[in-house]
Amino acid sequence: MSEKTDTFQAYGGKSKKTPPPNLEERLNKAPQNTTYELKQQEIPYIYLTPLLAAPILGLIRLGFKGRPKLRNWAFGVTITFFLFHSAFLINQASQKKNLKKN
């Protein structure tokens, strides 16, 4: 051929392209079980509980209109419950994160 191909072959190069592997070889190397099943995920109801806070607070306001002491107490209990609930969720998420690191 030419001097370029001789030089290329002298340094360990191949002058001809190598053919791709046979189809049978590629199929044998491919994984046999290629079906993937999707896991059915459950709805995380624990994260939906904050959606209840606004309607509950509104109902407390309307329901205890004539009783200001009871209304204030119900507001306090509801807000305290949701603050503790949010602290629980944050704590639970941080524990899961720490377990994944270890």
Side-chain angles (χ1 to χ4, degrees), residues 64-85:
F64 299 120
K65 222 175 211 180
R67 302 177 189 159
K69 287 185 180 180
L70 187 57
R71 182 185 63 211
N72 292 342
W73 182 82
F75 259 87
V77 168
T78 305
I79 290 173
T80 304
F81 168 76
F82 282 108
L83 285 174
F84 276 112
H85 179 72

Side-chain angles (χ1 to χ4, degrees), residues 1-99:
M1 300 197 130
S2 68
E3 293 179 17
K4 290 182 181 179
T5 55
D6 294 336
T7 310
F8 187 68
Q9 288 177 349
Y11 287 109
K14 296 180 181 177
S15 61
K16 295 182 180 180
K17 291 183 179 179
T18 56
N22 294 338
L23 180 61
E24 292 177 11
E25 290 177 14
R26 286 189 283 174
L27 289 176
N28 289 337
K29 290 180 183 179
Q32 298 299 321
N33 187 7
T34 57
T35 58
Y36 297 102
E37 294 180 15
L38 295 176
K39 295 180 182 177
Q40 284 197 351
Q41 297 179 354
E42 296 179 5
I43 298 173
Y45 291 109
I46 198 162
Y47 296 116
L48 296 177
T49 53
L51 294 175
L52 297 173
I56 288 175
L57 290 174
L59 289 173
I60 289 172
R61 182 174 161 233
L62 292 174
F64 299 120
K65 222 175 211 180
R67 302 177 189 159
K69 287 185 180 180
L70 187 57
R71 182 185 63 211
N72 292 342
W73 182 82
F75 259 87
V77 168
T78 305
I79 290 173
T80 304
F81 168 76
F82 282 108
L83 285 174
F84 276 112
H85 179 72
S86 63
F88 169 74
L89 290 178
I90 292 170
N91 186 24
Q92 190 178 14
S94 67
Q95 285 178 354
K96 286 182 182 178
K97 189 176 181 181
N98 288 340
L99 287 176

